[in-house]
Amino acid sequence: CAEDLAGVIHPAPPAFQCALEAADEPLFSRARDEGPLAAWCVAKTFGKRFAEKGRGCLIFVNSVHAEKPMGYGFLFSAGCGAVQMLNREINQDFGTKGVRSYFVQRGPTTTDPDLKSRDRVVKKSEKDSLYAAMDVASIWLERALAQR
């Protein structure tokens, strides 16, 4: 039930592998639609609902490539950077209304199209239970917030 919803987690956009000179309009459109535009739609829809309730949390799981672009993944890096900026805007627009927004960065990834998405993460931490994983995530989040 949407009235009972306390938070939304939005996944990272797909990693596109493409040289700048080889990118065509459909690929640019797809990267925009599946990355920053999808995140914006989530932020607009749920941010407004959470602001009306006076509480809520938006979490954008993304990539360190928002700050460290990678060679053949420039569309992916640009999309990650756009979502990171969106997160900052959400905090300015909805933060005073009780809505928290976080940009959680995964470690470096590869854009090798033959790899499964779970194997693209170069640095990861695997835990046996949800609670153990949440403990690690809370430590990472605390460290990131402490650096601000």
Side-chain angles (χ1 to χ4, degrees), residues 10-145:
H10 187 268
F16 296 100
Q17 183 173 359
C18 178
L20 180 59
E21 62 276 3
D24 58 5
E25 190 66 31
L27 187 58
F28 272 98
S29 296
R30 183 172 169 221
R32 178 204 62 218
D33 294 348
E34 295 178 18
L37 185 59
W40 180 80
C41 290
V42 166
K44 181 178 178 186
T45 302
F46 292 101
K48 189 182 294 186
R49 185 163 300 208
F50 291 154
E52 290 168 358
K53 289 183 355 180
R55 62 181 168 79
C57 181
L58 297 167
I59 300 173
F60 296 94
V61 178
N62 220 287
S63 170
V64 71
H65 293 299
E67 297 171 9
K68 300 179 187 313
M70 54 187 178
Y72 280 113
F74 78 97
L75 286 175
F76 176 66
S77 297
C80 292
V83 173
Q84 185 178 39
M85 291 304 297
L86 172 67
N87 179 66
R88 291 177 183 157
E89 292 295 323
I90 292 166
N91 282 319
Q92 289 179 351
D93 292 345
F94 292 123
T96 59
K97 298 172 184 162
V99 180
R100 297 176 321 255
S101 181
Y102 301 99
F103 183 85
V104 180
Q105 293 180 326
R106 302 182 301 191
T109 60
T110 178
T111 55
D112 184 350
D114 297 328
L115 288 178
K116 294 180 182 175
S117 61
R118 70 171 180 259
D119 295 329
R120 287 187 180 149
V121 177
V122 176
K123 179 183 174 191
K124 59 186 172 183
S125 176
E126 295 184 16
K127 300 297 174 194
D128 294 331
S129 71
L130 173 64
Y131 295 109
M134 288 173 61
D135 286 341
V136 170
S138 69
I139 291 168
W140 288 352
L141 180 59
E142 286 175 15
R143 287 178 184 166
L145 293 174

